Amino acid sequence: MPTLILVRHGRSTANTEGVLAGWTPGVALDERGAAQAAALPGRLAELPISEVVSSPLQRCQETLAPLLEARPGLRAHTDERIGECHYGDWSGRKLAELGDEPLMQVVQAHPSAAAFPGGESMRAMQTRAAEAVREWNARVERDHGADAVYLMCSHGDIIKSLVADALGLHLDLFQRISVEPCSITAIRYTRLRPFLVRLGDTGDFASLAPREEPPADDATVGGGAGAP
């Protein structure tokens, strides 16, 4: 079965503003995010990518634009099932203020029980994304062969949930996974089991350096902003 390259979108204006974007329209890449996207074709130059699939949201479309320009033979398919979690009434709100919501404790410690008001549950988010991957695996293998490589550009929580699925981890453990903006995660699928062969690879170790303010114990809903 194929190898899936998962790319989280580049750093967005919502990431730097500390806002939970969700499906809010008009959320674009910031200056650093645009630079990350511009570097993506070089990072992926050795890979024979057969198909590209994208979340419909602007920040993912902008992340893929330089890659598609560098490879005019590729075109991006849009699949809403790998779009961001529907955060409902939480969308557009500051993450700092959401930290006081009782639901945030559930999101951190028991996400399989978390459902966002006016939105969807994290369990439903993982299910739709995993179903999309399995359908695309079959389609890519049919059209390009069992050794094909294809790419999906998606969002932090989506990618983390797909990694948990590949590793056989319960969704309640997915907050232990971290994927930075424009990081590359690779999962090789086989008949019996998936293999996680890359996780959150940015080629940049700056985010591991000590910071003036220590990182929080909680995971950032929607994914963090990455290195400064």
Side-chain angles (χ1 to χ4, degrees), residues 14-15 17-24 27 59 84-96 98 104 116 157 220-223:
N15 293 144
E17 292 168 4
V19 170
L20 186 61
W23 284 69
T24 304
V27 176
R59 52 198 184 273
E84 181 63 283
C85 184
H86 291 276
Y87 297 117
D89 297 344
W90 280 25
S91 298
R93 293 179 61 186
K94 289 279 189 180
L95 288 164
L98 289 171
M104 183 60 85
F116 296 98
D157 280 350
T220 303
V221 181

Side-chain angles (χ1 to χ4, degrees), residues 146-169:
D147 294 328
V149 177
Y150 75 107
L151 181 148
M152 283 184 168
C153 186
S154 188
H155 307 267
D157 280 350
I158 295 287
I159 295 173
K160 287 162 57 178
S161 74
L162 289 171
V163 170
D165 175 76
L167 292 176
L169 293 177

